[in-house]
Amino acid sequence: MSRDERALEAGLTDPAIPPALATGTLEIVGLMPHSSNYTFLARAGDGGTDDTGILAIYKPRRGETPLWDFPEGTLCRREVAAYVLARALGWPNVPPTVLRDGPEGIGSVQLFVDVDPQQHYFTLERSHADEFRKVALFDHVANNADRKAGHCLLGNDGRIWVIDHGVCFSDEPKLRTVIWEFAGEPIPAPLLDDLRRLVAALDAGGAVPDALRSLLDPQELAAVRSRADALLSAGCFPEPGPGRPYPWPPI
């Protein structure tokens, strides 16, 4: 079984993944603006005559812009790995995401979330500080190289959602984020407990490491555990560095 086939199988066993997202017919509605890679708004459905389907964001592998510091053709897998990691931790809210075939070939397909387009991290940070503590820790574990303010969304359901995780999980330090307000703070005890459960799950084997193994290289998966261990040892939110700590543009 190929790595892509293993990743697809992992999505089929996740009860939080809508069946239409994983296996329904995928129809492109249009091209999303302001994206560096080909990003499509799509409709996923089961093909029934009365089925209007669900909206999704489809990022095909063949539309990825090559990057010097990430292996070519891997961004879509990293999008899915971010969802798997968030599910394992219990936070933050990453929309359900799968790796599957579509009209433009294999790519990530993520549930579209209705949001307030006027809101982003800089407008939400004070009112949702506890949620953004979770996002900050997640980005450290995932080694997110591009956490812009505009990747933090206020859903119409009142929840904070985070998107765009194609440049995560390098085994080299690359964290670039706008969320540094919590640097030096003690990590709340419940979040430390969640990190311990993640490490235990990675060590025990099973669905979480199997899914991540289908999406990441071995050294990248080992680095996930190392970063979680470092947070547990320090007990506090890290300071910026090494390297450039902010993304550009910030929004």
Side-chain angles (χ1 to χ4, degrees):
M1 184 182 291
S2 71
R3 173 178 279 185
D4 287 346
E5 288 170 334
R6 294 198 304 273
L8 174 58
E9 187 176 79
L12 295 175
T13 61
D14 185 341
I17 300 288
L21 196 74
T23 60
T25 57
L26 198 64
E27 174 191 3
I28 291 176
V29 176
L31 189 65
M32 297 294 289
H34 313 305
S35 297
S36 55
N37 302 297
Y38 273 82
T39 302
F40 296 100
L41 180 66
R43 182 176 289 108
D46 62 12
T49 56
D50 297 326
D51 180 28
T52 57
I54 56 176
L55 291 178
I57 298 298
Y58 169 43
K59 297 182 178 181
R61 175 181 290 156
R62 69 176 60 173
E64 295 176 1
T65 301
L67 301 173
W68 69 268
D69 54 349
F70 283 87
E72 188 171 348
T74 67
L75 304 192
C76 57
R77 292 207 305 261
R78 296 169 194 278
E79 291 275 5
V80 183
Y83 170 71
V84 174
L85 178 64
R87 284 278 285 165
L89 284 166
W91 40 261
N93 295 313
V94 176
T97 314
V98 297
L99 190 75
R100 57 163 293 181
D101 203 2
E104 295 295 324
I106 288 285
S108 63
V109 179
Q110 183 174 86
L111 184 69
F112 178 84
V113 178
D114 287 316
V115 301
D116 181 345
Q118 302 303 313
Q119 303 292 330
H120 50 72
Y121 174 69
F122 295 132
T123 67
L124 297 164
E125 56 176 308
R126 292 188 179 181
S127 58
H128 294 78
D130 286 343
E131 286 302 306
F132 286 121
R133 285 183 174 88
K134 297 174 182 177
V135 177
L137 285 179
F138 172 83
D139 285 343
H140 281 286
V141 177
N143 197 17
N144 192 346
D146 192 38
R147 174 62 74 204
K148 294 181 172 69
H151 297 167
C152 302
L153 310 173
L154 178 63
N156 291 347
D157 58 3
R159 291 190 286 177
I160 299 296
W161 293 88
V162 288
I163 60 168
D164 284 349
H165 298 106
V167 288
C168 292
F169 298 107
S170 174
D171 57 330
E172 299 177 0
K174 290 185 184 296
L175 181 65
R176 292 189 285 270
T177 175
V178 295
I179 307 176
W180 288 110
E181 281 71 19
F182 311 116
E185 281 189 9
I187 298 172
L191 302 187
L192 288 173
D193 289 342
D194 292 337
L195 287 167
R196 291 189 188 97
R197 280 192 288 272
L198 171 68
V199 170
L202 292 175
D203 288 346
V208 172
D210 284 352
L212 291 174
R213 200 172 291 115
S214 73
L215 298 160
L216 304 173
D217 289 338
Q219 66 270 23
E220 293 172 336
L221 181 53
V224 170
R225 191 193 187 289
S226 295
R227 291 189 294 266
D229 276 339
L231 288 170
L232 288 169
S233 296
C236 60
F237 288 84
E239 303 285 345
R244 175 169 61 90
Y246 297 102
W248 188 261
I251 296 180

